[in-house]
Amino acid sequence: RSRGRLDAHRHRLSLLGQGFGNAYAAMVLEAWFFIAAALLVVSGGAKLWDPAPTRGALEASGLPSGSWTAPTLGVVEIVAGLGGTVLGGGASLVVGVIYLAFAGFVAYALMRKIPIQSCGCFGKADTPPSWLHLGFNVLSVVAAVGVAVAPQPPIDLLGDQPLWAIPYLGFVALGVWVVYLLLTELPRLREAAR
């Protein structure tokens, strides 16, 4: 009897609920989406703050790199990250499309061995394209598509969390910081170890 209540509680805490089949997997997918959407807001802000690294990466790849390109991408990322979280549905799908474009860019840079010091994701932080970066982008596409088909927007998930969602948002903030460090510092550490 208490197991049934626990399962019902887990499904209530999950936007995808029983339709996904596995409440734990659904919660991980949703948390990944929150982390990916928050990183979009962070990276968009970085492109507005310092567009030069993004412009350089686009230029090195032969893509449009005018003075307006990086700031425009930054605004699109911020709007998509916030919109996908608050509105859900198609707006969450836009987050997936952006991460799909990122994955394509990183795969292109890796396959062509384009000498890019930074992909421009986080402004001044050197973030060279890596397989880890590609993997994060692909998994973020999956999370965004999963959340896009949920019946409610992701923000609704926070209303059912205990303690006003403070622990959950703390987990998301920690996740954002860990992913940021993995994408920016790990490549530098690997390079220094060589």
Side-chain angles (χ1 to χ4, degrees):
R1 180 171 160 94
S2 68
R3 174 141 174 96
R5 280 189 301 189
L6 180 61
D7 286 341
H9 180 68
R10 274 193 221 115
H11 286 299
R12 196 174 71 244
L13 292 179
S14 169
L15 293 174
L16 301 175
Q18 294 177 353
F20 193 76
N22 184 329
Y24 288 120
M27 286 189 284
V28 168
L29 186 77
E30 292 154 356
W32 192 287
F33 176 80
F34 272 105
I35 291 167
L39 272 172
L40 265 187
V41 173
V42 169
S43 70
K47 287 175 181 71
L48 290 174
W49 184 262
D50 184 10
T54 302
R55 193 177 317 125
L58 292 171
E59 192 173 290
S61 300
L63 296 170
S65 59
S67 61
W68 56 269
T69 307
T72 302
L73 289 173
V75 169
V76 168
E77 289 174 23
I78 291 169
V79 170
L82 294 174
T85 302
V86 173
L87 302 174
S92 296
L93 202 53
V94 171
V95 171
V97 169
I98 290 172
Y99 273 105
L100 185 61
F102 289 166
F105 176 79
V106 171
Y108 177 78
L110 288 170
M111 296 301 203
R112 296 277 185 159
K113 296 183 181 359
I114 298 172
I116 299 174
Q117 184 64 24
S118 173
C119 68
C121 292
F122 300 112
K124 286 188 182 252
D126 288 341
T127 315
S130 69
W131 293 104
L132 178 66
H133 204 149
L134 179 62
F136 175 79
N137 289 335
V138 169
L139 290 174
S140 296
V141 171
V142 171
V145 170
V147 168
V149 300
Q152 312 160 254
I155 197 84
D156 287 359
L157 175 69
L158 300 179
D160 289 331
Q161 294 295 319
L163 299 173
W164 307 284
I166 292 169
Y168 188 84
L169 291 173
F171 166 74
V172 169
L174 179 63
V176 168
W177 183 247
V178 167
V179 171
Y180 174 82
L181 289 176
L182 285 172
L183 296 179
T184 60
E185 297 301 321
L186 187 61
R188 269 192 250 173
L189 292 172
R190 290 182 72 193
E191 191 63 36
R194 288 183 186 176

